[in-house]
Amino acid sequence: MPSSDYDSACLPDLLPLYYRRLFPFAQYYRWLNYGGVQKNYFQNREFSFTLKDDIYVRYQSFSTQNELEKEMQKINPFKIDIGAVYSHRPNQHNTVKSGTFQALEKELVFDIDMTDYDDVRSCCSAADICSKCWTLMTIAIRILDRALRDDFGFHHLLWVYSGRRGVHCWVCDEAARKLSVAARSAVAEYLSLVKGGEETVKKVVLTDPIHPFIRESLWVVEQYFSQYALQAQDILGRKESVDKVLALMPEDVKKELQQSFQQEKKPETRWKMIMEQARKKQGTAKKGQYFEKEIMLQYCYPRLDVNVSKGVNHLLKSPFSVHPKTGRISVPMDLKELDKFDPFAVPTISLICEELDRPRPGEEEEKSEETKENEKDAAERRKIRDYKRTSLAKYVRYFDQFLDGMARSWKGQLLKKSDLQKEF
Amino acid sequence: MQFSSRRKKLATNPQTELYTQPLQFYVQPPLENISLSEFETFAVDRLKLLKTVENLGVSYVKLSENYLSKLESESKNLNFPYKPESDDKKSGSTECDKRRKDHISHFILRLAYCQTEDLRRWFIQQEVDLFRFRFNTVLLSKQKLEFLHKNELHYNTITTEEKAALKDKLINSSYAVSGITVTDQDVYKVPFQDALDLVRTRKVYLKAGYAYIPHQDIVTIVLNDFRTKLSKALALTARSLPAVHSDERLQPLLNHLSHAYVGQDYSIQKNVGKISLEQIDSLSGKSFPLCMRQLHQALRENHHLRHGGRMQYGLFLKGIGLSLEQALQFWRSEFIRGKVDADKFDKAYAYSVRHMFGKEGKRTDYTPYSCMKVILSNPPSQGDHHGCPFRHSDPDLLKQKLQVYKVSPSGINQILELVKGMHYQLACQKYFELTHNIEDPSFSLNHPNQYFIESQKVLGGGKDIKREMDTSQRSQENSAAKGSTAAREAAPNSSQHLAEMTEDLESFFQDA
Ligand code: SF4
C-alpha cells in the first residue's frame, strides 16, 4: 500500500510539512554537534542542498540548530548532503584567504550501491532492486561492520538506508573523524577485495596465506551463499550464468566440470562438485588455489566506492533526507534487525505525512496543559509527538539509541577536559 | 662568511659524530661551510639519484632484484652510500665522504623542494623510497636495532603470551612470519594509522585499531616516522624561504633544481585549436595510447563516461590541444546522444569540464595524468573504463584487443611478457614501436600526452605540433642528461666566484 502511493510530483507539496513537523532536528543537531566537545564543530560543518530542478547549493552552514531549522523550512530542500568540518564557516568560504579554507574532519564514510553489482545479479540491473538482491547489502553490512569494529576498533557506526538502492555507513568515532586522506584510503583499500572494471573477468584473486580478515569475511558470505547465489540468483542454473562462473576457474577444472554438468542440473549439487574440485586441487597444486572462495567473493563481497571514503571533503547524502525518486526517507538501520530489514517497507514521505493527518484519539486532553507552557516549548513538544505518530518513529528511536551510545563516550571526554582545567 | 667558531668548538669532529651510520634521519643540518661548486654537484647528483628512484619505482616492483641492483649501481656511480661498508679505493671516496655527500645534498634539496605542495610531495615520496632501499640493503640487521636505538625510535612490543595467543593470525597476516620465526621475533603493536602501507595492502594483522607488526616489517613504521618528520621539516624550511630567495647566488640555482626533474608539464597548452573535433576519431586510432583509445571507444559506444574516465580522458584531450569551447562541444554532443539531455548536461556536467580548464571552483588548472598516476591511483571498478589497459585489463582481454588492433602474434607475446613482469609502460612503449614501425624509440614513455606527441612526430602529422613540442621536449631531455651543466648555466654568474665563495648552510635550517 504505502510505497506505490508516492508520486514525485507531490514532493514539493509534502516537503514543507515534513520539515515543519517531522524532521528530527533535535537529534540531528545532537549528532552533528558531538556534545560540543570541539569548538565550532557544528558551525563549521558544510551542508549542501539540492533544490527544485537540480539546483545545487554548496557551502551552507549554520550557527545553531534553530538557524538550520529555519533555513530548511524556508527552502525545503529536495535532498540534503553533509560535507566536512572546515577550518572556517563554510558560508564564508569566499571571504577567507584562498588556501586557508580547508576541510579538517569528517566521519569516515562508506557508500555501497547496488549498481556496482550489475555483473553478478541477474534479477535486476542499474537502479532497480528487489528483495533477492537486497541480500547483497545485508552481506556487505555484516562484513564491513565486523571489520570496522574488530579490526579497526571503531564503535559508533551509523548504517543508513540510502532511500533507493544502497546503504551508507557513517563511522562517527572521534578517531575516525580525524583520519587523514591517506589513512581513509588505506582503510578503504584494506576493505576492498573486488578489483577491476569492465575489462576484468576475474575480479578477486586470493594469495597465500589467506588473511584473517578475508577468512572472517568468507565466513559471513558462507552464511548466505547457498540461499542467495545458488537459489535466488540461480548462478549455476542457466547456461550463460554457468559459463560466467566457469570462466573464473583454472582451464583443466573448467573442462572437467563442463562435462559433469551435462549430467547434473541441480545447482546445489553442481556447487558441491565445484567444492570437490577445489579440495582436490588444493591437495595437488603448489599453493594458493582458492577458486571456489574467489567465486564466492566475486559474487557476494561488498563493492565499495573507494573515492567516497577517501576524501575528507566528499559530500554524502544525509540521514533523514528524502529520496526524490522513491520518496523514501533515508533512515538509520538497526543492525539487530538487519536480516529483517526490508527496503520496501521503509516509509515514504507521502505515507508519514498521511499518517500525520489521521485523527488521533485523546488529543483534546493534552491541549489544556500545552497552553501553560511557553510557546516555543509547546511547538517543540508537538513536533516530538508528531513523528511519534508516524512510521518514522521507530527509526528516530533507533537514532536516539545510537546517539546515547555516543554521548557516553563524549561525556568521558568532557570530564577529562574539565579535570584538566581544574588542574591549572 | 661569518662562520661561527662556537660551533667548531662544540663539535670538534662533527663528521665522526654524524656519519657513524650509513643512514640517518637527517635531524641535524650540516654544520660546515661548503663551496658553491660542491653545493651544486651534490645537489644535482642527488636529484639524479632521486629521479632514478622514481623511474625504477614505476618500472619495477620496489625491492625486487632488478630494482635493488639498479639502484645500487646508480648510488655507486654517483658516490652515495650503497652498501654496508664501501670505501671505494678507486674513486678515492671514503665511506665518510659518501655519507657527508648524502647528508649535505639532502639538505640542499630540501631548500629547493620545500616551495610548493607538489614539490614537497614529490621529494618526500622519492626520499622515502630511497630510505626504504637503504634501510633494507645498506644496514646490516644488527645495525638496524642500533639505528632504532640511536634515533630514539621506541615501539611497544607485545608479550610472549599475547604472541602465542595470536600466533595463527600473525602467521596468516604477513609474509615475514612463519611458524618457526614467530616465536623468536619481536612483534610491535602500533596504532594502525602508523602502518598505513601494511594496512593498505593487508599485510599485517589488525585488532581493535592496532597493527601487529613483526620485526621484519619494522621498516614500515620507521618509514612512517621518517615521512612525518621530513614533511614537518619541509614545512618549517618553507618558512625560512624568504631568506633563501633574497640570496641572489642561491636563488636561481634552487629554482632550477626544483624544475629540472619533475618532468614536462603537459598542461601548458601550446596547440590550442590546432586539432578539430572531426580529427579525434582518426587520431584515436593512430596516435592515442591504448588507455585513451579505450576511453574514446567507450564514450562513443555508451555516450557516457563515469567520473574517473571523464577526468583521465578530458585532461588528455585538453593536453593535446582542445580548447574549452571544443571540449564542451565534444562532451555535450556525445552525452546528449545517450541518456542525458542538453539541459541536464549543462547543469550536471558542463561544470566539471570547465573545472578541468580551471574555470570553476578553485580555478586550478589541472594537469593531464601521467602514466604513473593512471597506473597507480584510482583503479577502475565496475562500470569504469579508465585506467591503463596494460595494468588493469585481464591479459586475455588485452590479448584479444591487441589482435583486433592487428599486432603480430610475436609482438603480442613480447607485450604480454612485459605486462607479466609488471613493466606496463615498457609494454605500452613496445606497442608504440610495433604500431609505428620503429625500433628503439628515442624517448622513454611516462605520459599519455607524450605518447601522442611522439606518435605525431613519427607520423609526420601536425607539423606545428611537432616543431613546438620538439623544442620543449629536447630541453627537458637535455636537462635530464646533463643536469649539472644546465644547472651551471642557470647560475652563470656564480661560476666565477666558485672557488672563494662559501655558504653557511645551516642558517637556513635554524627553524628546522
Ligand atoms: S602506459 Fe601510459 S600511455 Fe600507455 S596505456 Fe598505460 S597509461 Fe596510457
Side-chain angles (χ1 to χ4, degrees), chain A residues 305-326:
Chain A
D305 188 338
V306 176
N307 289 320
V308 173
S309 307
K310 266 187 200 168
V312 178
N313 54 3
H314 212 288
L315 293 152
L316 189 67
K317 187 173 180 234
S318 160
F320 295 103
S321 185
V322 182
H323 197 294
K325 291 263 160 46
T326 61

mmCIF file of all heavy atoms in Angstrom, chain A residues 305-326:
data_model
loop_
_atom_site.group_PDB
_atom_site.id
_atom_site.type_symbol
_atom_site.label_atom_id
_atom_site.label_comp_id
_atom_site.label_asym_id
_atom_site.label_seq_id
_atom_site.Cartn_x
_atom_site.Cartn_y
_atom_site.Cartn_z
ATOM 1 N N ASP A 305 32.613 2.108 -3.137
ATOM 2 C CA ASP A 305 33.079 3.218 -3.942
ATOM 3 C C ASP A 305 34.191 3.894 -3.146
ATOM 4 O O ASP A 305 33.930 4.711 -2.274
ATOM 5 C CB ASP A 305 31.933 4.192 -4.224
ATOM 6 C CG ASP A 305 32.350 5.262 -5.216
ATOM 7 O OD1 ASP A 305 33.571 5.498 -5.341
ATOM 8 O OD2 ASP A 305 31.476 5.857 -5.852
ATOM 9 N N VAL A 306 35.426 3.498 -3.448
ATOM 10 C CA VAL A 306 36.562 3.932 -2.641
ATOM 11 C C VAL A 306 36.700 5.455 -2.610
ATOM 12 O O VAL A 306 37.069 6.044 -1.600
ATOM 13 C CB VAL A 306 37.864 3.298 -3.167
ATOM 14 C CG1 VAL A 306 39.065 3.805 -2.407
ATOM 15 C CG2 VAL A 306 37.776 1.785 -3.052
ATOM 16 N N ASN A 307 36.355 6.090 -3.721
ATOM 17 C CA ASN A 307 36.528 7.550 -3.783
ATOM 18 C C ASN A 307 35.682 8.292 -2.762
ATOM 19 O O ASN A 307 36.069 9.344 -2.285
ATOM 20 C CB ASN A 307 36.193 8.048 -5.181
ATOM 21 C CG ASN A 307 37.263 7.625 -6.146
ATOM 22 O OD1 ASN A 307 38.447 7.666 -5.816
ATOM 23 N ND2 ASN A 307 36.861 7.170 -7.313
ATOM 24 N N VAL A 308 34.517 7.744 -2.467
ATOM 25 C CA VAL A 308 33.663 8.393 -1.484
ATOM 26 C C VAL A 308 34.330 8.345 -0.109
ATOM 27 O O VAL A 308 34.289 9.309 0.656
ATOM 28 C CB VAL A 308 32.288 7.705 -1.434
ATOM 29 C CG1 VAL A 308 31.450 8.262 -0.310
ATOM 30 C CG2 VAL A 308 31.569 7.855 -2.763
ATOM 31 N N SER A 309 34.959 7.232 0.198
ATOM 32 C CA SER A 309 35.569 7.076 1.512
ATOM 33 C C SER A 309 36.850 7.881 1.668
ATOM 34 O O SER A 309 37.169 8.357 2.739
ATOM 35 C CB SER A 309 35.876 5.593 1.770
ATOM 36 O OG SER A 309 34.730 4.824 1.562
ATOM 37 N N LYS A 310 37.594 8.005 0.566
ATOM 38 C CA LYS A 310 38.900 8.663 0.616
ATOM 39 C C LYS A 310 38.851 10.124 1.031
ATOM 40 O O LYS A 310 39.599 10.562 1.880
ATOM 41 C CB LYS A 310 39.530 8.621 -0.778
ATOM 42 C CG LYS A 310 40.453 7.483 -1.024
ATOM 43 C CD LYS A 310 41.102 7.700 -2.379
ATOM 44 C CE LYS A 310 41.645 6.398 -2.913
ATOM 45 N NZ LYS A 310 42.031 6.499 -4.306
ATOM 46 N N GLY A 311 37.989 10.883 0.390
ATOM 47 C CA GLY A 311 38.063 12.335 0.532
ATOM 48 C C GLY A 311 37.489 12.816 1.851
ATOM 49 O O GLY A 311 36.464 12.336 2.305
ATOM 50 N N VAL A 312 38.173 13.762 2.458
ATOM 51 C CA VAL A 312 37.604 14.366 3.654
ATOM 52 C C VAL A 312 36.454 15.287 3.253
ATOM 53 O O VAL A 312 35.459 15.418 3.944
ATOM 54 C CB VAL A 312 38.672 15.177 4.423
ATOM 55 C CG1 VAL A 312 38.064 15.849 5.638
ATOM 56 C CG2 VAL A 312 39.808 14.278 4.850
ATOM 57 N N ASN A 313 36.581 15.912 2.078
ATOM 58 C CA ASN A 313 35.568 16.895 1.702
ATOM 59 C C ASN A 313 34.463 16.335 0.813
ATOM 60 O O ASN A 313 33.675 17.074 0.258
ATOM 61 C CB ASN A 313 36.229 18.096 1.024
ATOM 62 C CG ASN A 313 37.089 17.661 -0.134
ATOM 63 O OD1 ASN A 313 37.140 16.477 -0.459
ATOM 64 N ND2 ASN A 313 37.754 18.606 -0.769
ATOM 65 N N HIS A 314 34.418 15.024 0.686
ATOM 66 C CA HIS A 314 33.374 14.422 -0.131
ATOM 67 C C HIS A 314 32.012 14.569 0.553
ATOM 68 O O HIS A 314 31.889 14.386 1.753
ATOM 69 C CB HIS A 314 33.688 12.941 -0.324
ATOM 70 C CG HIS A 314 33.217 12.418 -1.632
ATOM 71 N ND1 HIS A 314 31.897 12.226 -1.897
ATOM 72 C CD2 HIS A 314 33.881 12.051 -2.740
ATOM 73 C CE1 HIS A 314 31.768 11.757 -3.130
ATOM 74 N NE2 HIS A 314 32.959 11.644 -3.666
ATOM 75 N N LEU A 315 31.003 14.901 -0.250
ATOM 76 C CA LEU A 315 29.668 15.045 0.334
ATOM 77 C C LEU A 315 28.920 13.721 0.277
ATOM 78 O O LEU A 315 29.084 12.951 -0.652
ATOM 79 C CB LEU A 315 28.880 16.089 -0.453
ATOM 80 C CG LEU A 315 29.392 17.526 -0.345
ATOM 81 C CD1 LEU A 315 29.050 18.308 -1.583
ATOM 82 C CD2 LEU A 315 28.809 18.182 0.891
ATOM 83 N N LEU A 316 28.103 13.478 1.285
ATOM 84 C CA LEU A 316 27.291 12.266 1.260
ATOM 85 C C LEU A 316 25.879 12.607 1.727
ATOM 86 O O LEU A 316 25.677 13.426 2.627
ATOM 87 C CB LEU A 316 27.906 11.199 2.166
ATOM 88 C CG LEU A 316 27.289 9.809 2.074
ATOM 89 C CD1 LEU A 316 27.542 9.176 0.713
ATOM 90 C CD2 LEU A 316 27.846 8.894 3.164
ATOM 91 N N LYS A 317 24.926 11.938 1.091
ATOM 92 C CA LYS A 317 23.519 12.191 1.403
ATOM 93 C C LYS A 317 23.246 11.997 2.893
ATOM 94 O O LYS A 317 23.672 11.017 3.488
ATOM 95 C CB LYS A 317 22.677 11.226 0.591
ATOM 96 C CG LYS A 317 21.217 11.485 0.702
ATOM 97 C CD LYS A 317 20.486 10.588 -0.286
ATOM 98 C CE LYS A 317 19.019 10.855 -0.164
ATOM 99 N NZ LYS A 317 18.254 9.643 0.082
ATOM 100 N N SER A 318 22.533 12.935 3.448
ATOM 101 C CA SER A 318 22.303 12.929 4.888
ATOM 102 C C SER A 318 21.216 11.942 5.287
ATOM 103 O O SER A 318 20.279 11.701 4.549
ATOM 104 C CB SER A 318 21.887 14.333 5.301
ATOM 105 O OG SER A 318 21.231 14.293 6.530
ATOM 106 N N PRO A 319 21.345 11.362 6.496
ATOM 107 C CA PRO A 319 20.243 10.595 7.044
ATOM 108 C C PRO A 319 18.999 11.498 7.134
ATOM 109 O O PRO A 319 19.125 12.707 7.320
ATOM 110 C CB PRO A 319 20.722 10.222 8.440
ATOM 111 C CG PRO A 319 22.202 10.346 8.400
ATOM 112 C CD PRO A 319 22.515 11.369 7.366
ATOM 113 N N PHE A 320 17.850 10.901 6.994
ATOM 114 C CA PHE A 320 16.557 11.601 7.069
ATOM 115 C C PHE A 320 16.309 12.547 5.896
ATOM 116 O O PHE A 320 15.376 13.327 5.894
ATOM 117 C CB PHE A 320 16.375 12.336 8.403
ATOM 118 C CG PHE A 320 16.314 11.382 9.555
ATOM 119 C CD1 PHE A 320 17.403 11.200 10.403
ATOM 120 C CD2 PHE A 320 15.172 10.616 9.775
ATOM 121 C CE1 PHE A 320 17.360 10.297 11.451
ATOM 122 C CE2 PHE A 320 15.116 9.714 10.828
ATOM 123 C CZ PHE A 320 16.206 9.550 11.661
ATOM 124 N N SER A 321 17.181 12.481 4.897
ATOM 125 C CA SER A 321 16.894 13.170 3.658
ATOM 126 C C SER A 321 15.862 12.303 2.918
ATOM 127 O O SER A 321 15.771 11.107 3.149
ATOM 128 C CB SER A 321 18.190 13.286 2.867
ATOM 129 O OG SER A 321 18.027 14.027 1.705
ATOM 130 N N VAL A 322 15.088 12.915 2.030
ATOM 131 C CA VAL A 322 14.093 12.153 1.279
ATOM 132 C C VAL A 322 14.689 11.783 -0.074
ATOM 133 O O VAL A 322 15.376 12.598 -0.677
ATOM 134 C CB VAL A 322 12.831 13.009 1.043
ATOM 135 C CG1 VAL A 322 11.775 12.199 0.290
ATOM 136 C CG2 VAL A 322 12.286 13.516 2.355
ATOM 137 N N HIS A 323 14.470 10.569 -0.526
ATOM 138 C CA HIS A 323 14.941 10.274 -1.880
ATOM 139 C C HIS A 323 13.906 10.765 -2.881
ATOM 140 O O HIS A 323 12.777 10.284 -2.897
ATOM 141 C CB HIS A 323 15.190 8.786 -2.072
ATOM 142 C CG HIS A 323 16.035 8.529 -3.272
ATOM 143 N ND1 HIS A 323 15.598 8.799 -4.550
ATOM 144 C CD2 HIS A 323 17.314 8.099 -3.404
ATOM 145 C CE1 HIS A 323 16.554 8.511 -5.411
ATOM 146 N NE2 HIS A 323 17.599 8.098 -4.749
ATOM 147 N N PRO A 324 14.281 11.720 -3.727
ATOM 148 C CA PRO A 324 13.275 12.354 -4.587
ATOM 149 C C PRO A 324 12.583 11.374 -5.546
ATOM 150 O O PRO A 324 11.432 11.561 -5.879
ATOM 151 C CB PRO A 324 14.083 13.383 -5.384
ATOM 152 C CG PRO A 324 15.387 13.522 -4.690
ATOM 153 C CD PRO A 324 15.625 12.281 -3.928
ATOM 154 N N LYS A 325 13.288 10.331 -5.949
ATOM 155 C CA LYS A 325 12.681 9.407 -6.914
ATOM 156 C C LYS A 325 11.702 8.451 -6.248
ATOM 157 O O LYS A 325 10.651 8.156 -6.776
ATOM 158 C CB LYS A 325 13.780 8.598 -7.624
ATOM 159 C CG LYS A 325 14.636 9.434 -8.546
ATOM 160 C CD LYS A 325 14.157 9.325 -9.987
ATOM 161 C CE LYS A 325 14.654 10.499 -10.829
ATOM 162 N NZ LYS A 325 16.067 10.834 -10.653
ATOM 163 N N THR A 326 12.072 7.925 -5.087
ATOM 164 C CA THR A 326 11.228 6.912 -4.459
ATOM 165 C C THR A 326 10.374 7.511 -3.343
ATOM 166 O O THR A 326 9.420 6.888 -2.900
ATOM 167 C CB THR A 326 12.082 5.812 -3.807
ATOM 168 O OG1 THR A 326 12.896 6.418 -2.783
ATOM 169 C CG2 THR A 326 12.975 5.137 -4.822
#
